[in-house]
Amino acid sequence: MEQQKRICRKCLTADMDQAEYFTNLHTYIANLDADIKVDSQIYDERLAVCKSCDLLADGMCRACGCFVELRAAICKNSCPYDKWLAQKLEASDLT
């Protein structure tokens, strides 16, 4: 029987190997509540803007320090340099 690896919820990123950390980040993004996530088209558009930005370094924004993939996934977030804006939630999305 294959033993499942336990995730330490109190580890710092420096304590994880890079592949494990990014797997955890992508799993977190995938499991965000649908009511706070942008749709895949907007997500891809946001990331395309970030990819073309001189402030992107190793998946992080040097302007604010965020992981751009996480920032781009959430409706209410925006680029700190207004290269892409927050998405307004419809009233029907709040009920």
Side-chain angles (χ1 to χ4, degrees):
M1 178 175 13
E2 184 177 316
Q3 187 176 16
Q4 186 176 21
K5 187 174 181 182
R6 291 186 51 179
I7 298 172
C8 176
R9 304 216 186 273
K10 296 192 181 226
C11 290
L12 299 174
T13 57
D15 298 332
M16 297 179 187
D17 70 70
Q18 188 175 19
E20 178 184 6
Y21 182 75
F22 285 110
T23 297
N24 288 342
L25 177 65
H26 292 134
T27 300
Y28 180 81
I29 292 168
N31 289 311
L32 287 170
D33 289 336
D35 58 335
I36 66 167
K37 283 174 69 173
V38 296
D39 65 41
S40 61
Q41 180 181 352
I42 293 171
Y43 182 66
D44 291 341
E45 289 170 1
R46 288 177 171 188
L47 291 181
V49 171
C50 292
K51 284 182 192 179
S52 69
C53 182
D54 292 339
L55 296 171
L56 179 66
D58 297 324
M60 294 181 71
C61 174
R62 293 184 311 184
C64 69
C66 76
F67 284 104
V68 297
E69 291 169 275
L70 180 55
R71 178 180 285 270
I74 299 175
C75 292
K76 69 176 184 170
N77 290 345
S78 61
C79 168
Y81 285 93
D82 296 328
K83 294 184 178 190
W84 49 263
L85 302 175
Q87 297 292 304
K88 294 185 192 284
L89 294 175
E90 301 296 324
S92 60
D93 293 338
L94 299 175
T95 58

